[in-house]
Amino acid sequence: YPEQVSFPASLWHFDSESLFSADGSLYMITKHRAIGKGFEWEAGANLYRLDTDYTDQDNLLTYIDGNRSITAATGAELSPDMQTLAVISLTALWLFDRPESGDEWLSSSSRKIDLDPDVIRQVEAVTWIDDQTVLLSNEQRDLFRVDISDL
């Protein structure tokens, strides 16, 4: 990460479980842990792009943008028509429209669907069945289908 200057980092903002590809590039979305706390989260997520594929040196990510409202992003996937980015967190499903220009996905117009953690439990993955249907999965292997055209 370009702004990570110490290892381990003084801020625990360098954990990416959310990966997706768009337009031939690989993107990563961070989740921010509270300093010194394994399972306490700070609000905020940053989007990075991998621009190099070195095999003999470190690959420095490129910071793209951030969203201070997402807490603990655990998965991301671009819709089949490449127009909507789904980002799942422990408490919400976010749907971001394709940016009009550039790749600042987390700053584009969005919809947020709050999730009940008692029902969804530890949700970790998101994928698209088609352009209007999202499938979520948790660590307990439960599946949840969300028809976004109903939202």
Side-chain angles (χ1 to χ4, degrees):
Y1 299 91
E3 64 274 12
Q4 184 177 2
V5 294
S6 62
F7 298 88
S10 57
L11 288 177
W12 288 22
H13 293 179
F14 306 105
D15 179 359
S16 295
E17 291 184 19
S18 305
L19 307 171
F20 70 97
S21 65
D23 305 319
S25 293
L26 180 64
Y27 294 85
M28 300 170 194
I29 301 172
T30 61
K31 63 181 183 180
H32 300 172
R33 295 178 189 272
I35 296 172
K37 309 287 184 179
F39 294 99
E40 290 185 30
W41 310 104
E42 292 180 5
N46 292 328
L47 176 66
Y48 296 88
R49 185 182 60 232
L50 180 64
D51 290 325
T52 58
D53 59 0
Y54 301 125
T55 59
D56 61 343
Q57 60 183 309
D58 292 340
N59 290 283
L60 186 65
L61 299 171
T62 302
Y63 175 81
I64 303 300
D65 73 345
N67 185 306
R68 296 188 53 78
S69 299
I70 300 172
T71 301
T74 58
E77 181 73 0
L78 192 57
S79 62
D81 67 2
M82 301 181 68
Q83 296 304 305
T84 308
L85 175 65
V87 177
I88 191 68
S89 73
L90 297 177
T91 60
L93 170 64
W94 293 81
L95 301 169
F96 293 92
D97 294 333
R98 176 179 271 286
E100 290 188 28
S101 64
D103 55 0
E104 294 179 342
W105 286 94
L106 300 186
S107 298
S108 68
S109 60
S110 65
R111 293 171 278 171
K112 176 186 174 195
I113 298 104
D114 290 319
L115 303 173
D116 183 344
D118 292 331
V119 174
I120 203 84
R121 301 196 280 181
Q122 190 174 344
V123 67
E124 293 282 345
V126 59
T127 192
W128 292 84
I129 295 173
D130 57 41
D131 293 330
Q132 296 299 312
T133 312
V134 174
L135 191 64
L136 308 177
S137 176
N138 63 19
E139 289 226 343
Q140 295 75 29
R141 295 185 275 176
D142 299 316
L143 297 175
F144 303 90
R145 184 182 177 125
V146 179
D147 187 343
I148 64 170
S149 62
D150 291 340
L151 304 175

